[in-house]
């Protein structure tokens, strides 16, 4: 696959997209490890550091790195828009024939990048996933929740979703251009890219500990990611709500039958306990079903608004043209 040419900056064969939010401690280590790997690939490359509205010294450190690393390109968003939105901004602006996305915490090692490129070229693949072979560096809670997430996604979205594959992946230019044409407001790439059906392969690696700083995916963000993933790629929650409604109907008919039998035998007694249980049961089912409907209505509302998920405040590549 040939490099993408730019009349102002020359050809770019490889783009590395790195969403960054408050990573002042990790940035120096990231540059120290990533740059030698890319220089050793003997490819014309660019590194898109997407600053997702950082509030620490990240933006200043990126400017300092640009002075000594000509291939570094900074895309600054106007506000914190979220990891997937920052990733979208980087993918949409990347110019490389091959585009690799990775996080700044170095849990996904940049030393795997040459192997991704070699596999894509040798087998003619459009997608190469980085699959975590060993997550012993993560906490037990993180491993269990991640395992539950991938187990659920593979059953809802399909077995084509690779297990233990996050946002560390290689994409060719046709895949990136296809993603650009999709109208979805919230793109969950770990589910969306397998759904496209491009030829794909995998490279495995051991997941390391975060090099510095704190995780940007606490429990509440993991729950939101799971909820977005489910509602984006499956109508199963709506079917579950229907099933619960049918089950409630059966239970209601059972209670009705029991009530008529008791009335016919003249054994009617005040049934406070059964009444409270019935009210709580049906109230919980109704609230759950309404909540599921609300999640899908919210997605429809967001789609109708058609607001961009991010706004770019600055792209250093534009300043050089």
């Amino acid at each position: 696959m040939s490099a993408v040419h730019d009349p102002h900056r020359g050809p770019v064969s490889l783009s590395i997209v790195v969403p960054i939010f408050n990573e002042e401690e990790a940035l120096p280590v990231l540059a120290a490890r990533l740059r030698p790997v890319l220089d050793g690939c003997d490819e014309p490359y660019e590194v898109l550091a997407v600053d997702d509205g950082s509030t620490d010294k990240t933006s200043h450190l990126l400017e300092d790195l640009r002075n000594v690393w000509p291939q570094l390109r900074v895309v600054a968003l106007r506000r914190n828009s979220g990891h997937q939105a920052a990733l979208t901004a980087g993918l949409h602006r990347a110019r490389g024939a091959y585009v690799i996305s990775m996080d700044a915490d170095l849990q996904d090692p940049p030393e795997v990048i040459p192997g991704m490129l070699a596999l894509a070229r040798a087998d003619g693949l459009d997608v190469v996933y980085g699959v975590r072979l060993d997550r012993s560096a993560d906490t037990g809670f993180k491993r269990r929740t991640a395992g539950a997430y991938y187990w659920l996604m593979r059953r809802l979205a399909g077995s084509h979703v690779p297990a233990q594959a996050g946002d560390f992946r290689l994409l060719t230019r046709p895949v990136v251009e296809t993603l650009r044409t999709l109208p979805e407001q919230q793109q969950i790439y770990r589910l969306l890219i397998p759904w496209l059906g491009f030829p794909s392969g995998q490279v495995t690696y051991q997941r390391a500990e975060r090099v510095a700083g704190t995780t940007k995916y606490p429990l509440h963000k993991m729950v939101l990611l799971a909820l977005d993933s489910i509602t984006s790629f499956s109508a199963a929650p709506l079917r579950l709500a229907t099933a619960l409604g049918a089950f409630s109907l059966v239970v209601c008919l059972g209670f009705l039958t029991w009530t008529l039998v008791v009335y016919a035998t003249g054994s009617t007694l005040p049934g406070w306990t059964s009444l409270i249980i019935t009210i709580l049961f049906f109230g919980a089912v109704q609230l759950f079903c309404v909540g599921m409907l609300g999640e899908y209505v919210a997605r429809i509302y967001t789609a109708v608004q058609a607001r961009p998920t991010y706004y770019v405040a600055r792209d250093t590549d534009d300043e050089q043209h």
Side-chain angles (χ1 to χ4, degrees):
M1 184 173 293
S2 61
V4 177
H5 291 266
D6 186 296
H8 301 280
R9 300 189 61 185
V12 173
S13 178
L14 176 63
S15 293
I16 309 295
V17 176
V18 188
I20 298 174
F21 176 66
N22 289 349
E23 294 286 5
E24 62 180 1
E25 298 178 3
L27 272 180
V29 186
L30 172 67
R33 283 183 58 183
L34 181 59
R35 185 174 184 180
V37 171
L38 297 179
D39 289 343
C41 288
D42 196 25
E43 306 271 356
Y45 71 87
E46 64 175 358
V47 176
L48 277 78
V50 184
D51 185 2
D52 188 21
S54 297
T55 56
D56 60 0
K57 298 179 181 178
T58 294
S59 58
H60 299 291
L61 290 175
L62 287 173
E63 290 302 316
D64 293 340
L65 284 173
R66 283 189 62 231
N67 294 329
V68 296
W69 194 359
Q71 292 87 355
L72 180 62
R73 173 181 168 191
V74 178
V75 177
L77 304 187
R78 292 193 180 277
R79 61 177 179 83
N80 179 246
S81 302
H83 182 272
Q84 294 297 300
L87 183 56
T88 300
L91 292 177
H92 285 188
R93 288 176 169 258
R95 297 188 293 116
Y98 294 93
V99 180
I100 295 178
S101 59
M102 62 177 294
D103 291 335
D105 56 15
L106 291 176
Q107 288 191 286
D108 303 326
E111 291 78 11
V112 178
I113 290 175
M116 287 180 159
L117 275 171
L119 181 61
R121 285 172 170 158
D123 295 348
L125 303 176
D126 285 304
V127 182
V128 177
Y129 299 103
V131 176
R132 299 148 182 171
L133 189 63
D134 179 12
R135 301 190 65 145
S136 58
D138 291 336
T139 64
F141 176 76
K142 177 70 172 180
R143 290 196 299 270
R144 286 190 291 270
T145 53
Y149 172 83
Y150 288 109
W151 177 86
L152 182 60
M153 291 306 105
R154 285 172 65 85
R155 276 151 185 78
L156 292 179
S159 58
H160 57 273
V161 177
Q164 300 301 328
D167 289 315
F168 186 34
R169 67 177 74 86
L170 175 146
L171 307 175
T172 60
R173 175 53 47 183
V175 181
V176 174
E177 293 302 321
T178 300
L179 292 173
R180 287 171 59 93
T181 64
L182 296 179
E184 297 185 41
Q185 297 295 109
Q186 297 177 340
Q187 297 184 348
I188 310 298
Y189 289 108
R190 62 188 67 189
L191 301 180
L192 185 59
I193 291 172
W195 176 82
L196 293 175
F198 283 91
S200 63
Q202 299 180 358
V203 295
T204 58
Y205 63 94
Q206 290 189 345
R207 185 171 172 84
E209 295 183 1
R210 167 177 268 275
V211 67
T214 58
T215 179
K216 304 305 183 293
Y217 258 95
L219 178 60
H220 74 279
K221 286 192 176 181
M222 293 169 59
V223 172
L224 290 176
L225 175 63
L227 187 59
D228 286 340
S229 300
I230 293 170
T231 54
S232 294
F233 280 85
S234 176
L238 291 177
R239 298 191 183 103
L240 176 61
T242 302
L244 285 173
F247 175 72
S248 301
L249 177 61
V250 173
V251 174
C252 181
L253 291 175
F255 271 110
L256 177 62
T257 303
W258 173 75
T259 302
L260 293 175
V261 170
V262 171
Y263 177 78
T265 58
S267 303
T268 55
L269 293 173
W272 181 86
T273 302
S274 60
L275 178 63
I276 292 299
I277 292 175
T278 304
I279 292 175
L280 291 177
F281 173 76
F282 286 111
V285 170
Q286 290 173 2
L287 288 175
F288 177 81
C289 295
V290 170
M292 285 295 98
L293 289 172
E295 288 294 331
Y296 283 90
V297 170
R299 297 190 68 84
I300 296 172
Y301 175 69
T302 301
V304 170
Q305 284 181 315
R307 293 176 182 171
T309 56
Y310 66 89
Y311 281 100
V312 174
R314 177 182 178 229
D315 186 343
T316 56
D317 190 57
D318 296 336
E319 297 173 358
Q320 300 179 22
H321 292 176

